[in-house]
Amino acid sequence: MADIAVVDYGMGNLRSVQQSLRKVAPTASIILTSDPQEVARAGRVIFPGQGAMPDCMREMDERGLRCAVLDAAKNKPFLGICIGLQMLFEHSTEGNITGLGILRGQVVRFASHLLDQQGDKLKIPHMGWNQVHRVAKHPLWQGIAQDARFYFVHSYCVVPQEVAIVQANTDYPTPFVCAVARDNLFAVQFHPEKSQDAGLTLLKNFVAWKP
Amino acid sequence: MLAKRIIPCLDVKAGRVVKGVNFVELRDAGDPIEIARRYDTQGADELIFLDITASSDDRGILFRMIEKVAEQVFIPLTVGGGVRQVADVRNLLNAGADKVSINTSAVLNPQLVADAAGRYGSQCIVVAIDAKQTSAGHWEVFTHGGRNATGLDVVAWAMRMEELGAGEILLTSMDRDGSKIGFDLQLTRAVVDAVEIPLIASGGAGNLQHLVDGIKQGGADAVLAASIFHFGEYTLTQAKQYMAKQGIEVRL
């Protein structure tokens, strides 16, 4: 039984997730797996995702991972990253796809032709280091400064229906939700595995988290 | 607010970092892993490795180098050079790259950009464009490390690459590369205004004001520099402090 299972459904590069976990939890057993039983047996689960959400949903289902993911999201420390956050919601306008529906709300694209405060156009994808403004307390934020910068790369963002799950917002140019939490579940739009010290601290907190 | 990025670029040949002037005259600049760690500590926002030999013998060396860097450096890593097929993209991602840069092969086979973006997502596909001015307000795309003219207009090409799924453009002015007289701001602005995806300006940064100009006048989302950092003229930290003083949002 692994301490931490990183769910691998063939979408994108999970090596950096694995490397960063090794760095913060050198003694833990960490596996990248597409086997639902290994996910079920793991102590903690990380649910990443890259690319387009419809592809991610399809690849996850083709590997028979849906039940194991739903179960983990209800019962053990669970961290969603990027598309792994978006997939937890009910629906995305990206390919008009139904999500896992663990959290109520939608995933929508950033509006085109937005301008920043200087009047320059905002690019899509939202790519680079942006500030994470916390609106709630949570053990996963321990040791991370308010408004610390994390690395983002995405064109869609989540719009939760329940305000109570919102953990943090980021401005682009207006605030969008970049982190949510409920019980044993935590999920972020940014990439902690690529966010240097702040990201490693968050992962370290996740590894030690006892919800 | 989203920070503008500073990206050191490491040209790699047979496992060493080198830097040329106008695409030739290579000078040895050190061990890639050591340099990557130094830049990471100084606050580099991303790193780009360009394998400038990309011969099959050196490929194994490159993969091992990327693996080592990815074990120690937790910021986005882009790797380019010699990417010819989707399998090359996969191999680089598996070695630890977060993004892959495609240059010559995008011109020879534009479908590669669409296929790679379709398979791995636009977020990891950077299209690198080497541009040379042909007349006032016009630039042509060059390939093979700047040796071959293509007849393609740079602005039109950037738009086509965005359409096919590129997530970012790395735009290098060949006229300015290694010159240290500043980015080609007119070129940068022309492409920035034509696409919606982020753009990295490259070629010509010789001092810190050049980095500011690339962002403020050129409109770039990120600036790339090699020589001014490799040979110790400035540190990344100095560059970021200077930019912050000029009112640019940076990650300090």
Side-chain angles (χ1 to χ4, degrees):
Chain A
M1 176 192 125
D3 297 325
I4 308 167
V6 180
V7 185
D8 180 4
Y9 48 93
M11 287 303 292
N13 171 24
L14 303 181
R15 201 180 160 96
S16 39
V17 176
Q18 190 183 24
Q19 299 281 21
S20 56
L21 288 169
R22 275 196 194 135
K23 173 90 176 174
V24 299
T27 58
S29 62
I30 301 155
I31 51 166
L32 297 184
T33 182
S34 52
D35 178 350
Q37 296 193 345
E38 285 192 315
V39 175
R41 284 196 296 263
R44 294 165 196 273
V45 169
I46 295 194
F47 186 50
Q50 285 180 349
M53 182 162 144
D55 297 335
C56 288
M57 292 298 296
R58 188 191 64 235
E59 296 291 328
M60 178 191 68
D61 279 335
E62 274 178 11
R63 288 164 179 77
L65 282 161
R66 182 182 284 247
C67 289
V69 169
L70 286 171
D71 181 69
K74 281 190 193 111
N75 297 313
K76 58 182 88 172
F78 182 95
L79 178 64
I81 298 174
C82 196
I83 309 291
L85 159 74
Q86 298 179 3
M87 288 164 79
L88 303 177
F89 285 81
E90 292 168 302
H91 178 262
S92 174
T93 57
E94 185 173 26
N96 193 24
I97 186 96
T98 302
L100 290 168
I102 297 166
L103 302 173
R104 296 183 66 198
Q106 304 285 314
V107 184
V108 298
R109 195 171 198 269
F110 284 115
S112 290
H113 313 299
L114 291 173
L115 300 178
D116 68 13
Q117 285 144 339
Q118 271 83 44
D120 286 325
K121 68 179 169 185
L122 288 179
K123 307 304 175 65
I124 297 176
H126 170 231
M127 182 189 285
W129 298 80
N130 207 337
Q131 289 170 296
V132 168
H133 188 79
R134 300 202 297 270
V135 295
K137 282 200 168 152
H138 196 283
L140 263 67
W141 298 124
Q142 199 190 333
I144 299 170
Q146 175 66 300
D147 296 318
R149 288 185 186 276
F150 287 82
Y151 189 81
F152 289 83
V153 51
H154 61 123
S155 302
Y156 288 76
C157 60
V158 299
V159 184
Q161 220 170 80
E162 301 159 60
V163 180
I165 67 166
V166 176
Q167 278 286 322
N169 294 307
T170 292
D171 290 352
Y172 197 68
T174 50
F176 69 87
V177 174
C178 69
V180 299
R182 192 177 72 191
D183 306 326
N184 57 298
L185 175 153
F186 198 91
V188 294
Q189 181 62 66
F190 50 82
H191 288 271
E193 76 279 12
K194 284 286 130 187
S195 297
Q196 223 204 14
D197 294 348
L200 293 176
T201 304
L202 188 138
L203 290 172
K204 197 170 184 175
N205 292 339
F206 173 72
V207 170
W209 184 29
K210 294 187 178 74
Chain B
M1 210 173 132
L2 182 65
K4 300 293 181 184
R5 291 169 282 155
I6 306 187
I7 308 177
C9 177
L10 291 77
D11 286 351
V12 178
K13 189 178 181 186
R16 297 287 294 177
V17 175
V18 294
K19 183 61 201 164
V21 178
N22 292 101
F23 280 64
V24 285
E25 286 181 56
L26 300 176
R27 289 168 72 185
D28 188 280
D31 172 49
I33 297 157
E34 207 174 286
I35 294 177
R37 289 179 68 169
R38 186 167 79 227
Y39 288 156
D40 176 48
T41 310
Q42 291 178 8
D45 295 310
E46 299 188 23
L47 292 174
I48 295 185
F49 294 91
L50 292 178
D51 184 22
I52 60 168
T53 47
S55 72
S56 51
D57 293 352
D58 291 341
R59 218 58 189 160
I61 300 173
L62 178 76
F63 289 141
R64 281 193 296 281
M65 185 202 86
I66 300 300
E67 283 171 14
K68 282 221 172 94
V69 173
E71 278 168 21
Q72 305 180 22
V73 174
F74 299 98
I75 56 175
L77 306 175
T78 299
V79 184
V83 176
R84 294 186 182 87
Q85 44 196 353
V86 174
D88 296 327
V89 175
R90 185 192 61 218
N91 291 339
L92 286 171
L93 293 177
N94 286 342
D98 299 289
K99 311 182 201 179
V100 169
S101 163
I102 306 176
N103 185 336
T104 296
S105 298
V107 174
L108 300 178
N109 172 23
Q111 188 58 33
L112 172 64
V113 173
D115 292 346
R119 182 67 191 83
Y120 298 105
S122 290
Q123 85 289 336
C124 69
I125 304 301
V126 180
V127 169
I129 302 176
D130 292 337
K132 200 171 194 172
Q133 186 153 23
T134 48
S135 61
H138 292 279
W139 297 268
E140 184 178 348
V141 179
F142 276 67
T143 60
H144 298 88
R147 291 192 300 277
N148 298 0
T150 64
L152 294 165
D153 173 71
V154 167
V155 173
W157 180 243
M159 292 168 76
R160 171 111 194 271
M161 291 295 96
E162 176 179 35
E163 239 176 68
L164 288 182
E168 194 170 28
I169 300 280
L170 165 55
L171 178 64
T172 302
S173 161
M174 293 174 51
D175 306 303
R176 300 296 180 92
D177 193 61
S179 72
K180 308 185 84 174
I181 59 168
F183 297 115
D184 185 335
L185 300 174
Q186 221 195 335
L187 164 70
T188 308
R189 178 52 77 178
V191 178
V192 162
D193 285 345
V195 298
E196 199 182 14
I197 53 178
L199 180 137
I200 307 165
S202 155
N207 61 44
L208 302 183
Q209 185 57 39
H210 290 154
L211 303 180
V212 170
D213 294 343
I215 286 165
K216 280 195 167 174
Q217 296 179 41
D221 303 279
V223 285
L224 181 138
S227 354
I228 65 167
F229 298 129
H230 294 336
F231 300 112
E233 283 163 72
Y234 303 99
T235 64
L236 264 292
T237 320
Q238 284 172 322
K240 286 190 151 183
Q241 284 167 348
Y242 185 85
M243 289 163 82
K245 264 192 211 145
Q246 306 292 311
I248 294 175
E249 188 86 9
V250 290
R251 180 178 72 108
L252 282 169

